[in-house]
Amino acid sequence: QVQLVESGGGLVQPGGPLRPPCPASGSTSRINAMGWYRQAPGKQRELVATITSGGNTNYAGSVKGRFTISRDNAKNTVYLQMNSLKPEDTAVYYCHLFAPYRWGQGTQVTVSS
């Protein structure tokens, strides 16, 4: 019953910011921990950041200090604030719900001058 619909990706220049949202729709009353993952061409999907319902966060070392995950529980939405973007950040970014297990469709982020 729960669906994730991330958006907000696009083409940005190196150093630029981006803040894609991931709103959850459907039966959202049991939503707890959520996360953002990404997958670059030819690579495995990797963890970017996670956040619990209480606001505890975890980040991949490659993005720590540059990215910030946050959530608005009233809106059932998780955000990923990405600053100081690098070409290496280029990937499809996926929103993830741990329980019930769900994946969003992904949003393309391309960092290029």
Side-chain angles (χ1 to χ4, degrees), residues 33-58:
M34 298 183 70
W36 282 94
Y37 290 70
R38 67 185 181 186
Q39 187 168 20
K43 296 185 177 180
Q44 293 292 313
R45 189 172 299 183
E46 65 176 357
L47 171 71
V48 175
T50 60
I51 186 168
T52 67
S53 60
N56 294 320
T57 59
N58 184 52

Side-chain angles (χ1 to χ4, degrees), residues 6-113:
E6 62 267 54
S7 62
L11 176 63
V12 296
Q13 294 189 333
L18 204 61
R19 196 190 186 220
C22 178
S25 63
S27 301
T28 60
S29 63
R30 304 177 75 93
I31 288 177
N32 199 336
M34 298 183 70
W36 282 94
Y37 290 70
R38 67 185 181 186
Q39 187 168 20
K43 296 185 177 180
Q44 293 292 313
R45 189 172 299 183
E46 65 176 357
L47 171 71
V48 175
T50 60
I51 186 168
T52 67
S53 60
N56 294 320
T57 59
N58 184 52
Y59 297 92
S62 59
V63 307
K64 194 172 186 179
R66 298 189 296 122
F67 291 10
T68 302
I69 188 171
S70 63
R71 66 191 297 163
D72 185 336
N73 290 334
K75 297 181 179 180
N76 296 310
T77 301
V78 174
Y79 303 90
L80 184 65
Q81 178 69 57
M82 299 184 285
N83 297 322
S84 302
L85 283 164
K86 306 174 181 179
E88 308 91 86
D89 295 317
T90 296
V92 177
Y93 284 71
Y94 296 90
C95 186
H96 177 61
L97 176 63
F98 292 93
Y101 189 85
R102 294 286 189 278
W103 287 100
Q105 84 288 347
T107 185
Q108 176 70 50
V109 174
T110 302
V111 185
S112 180
S113 59

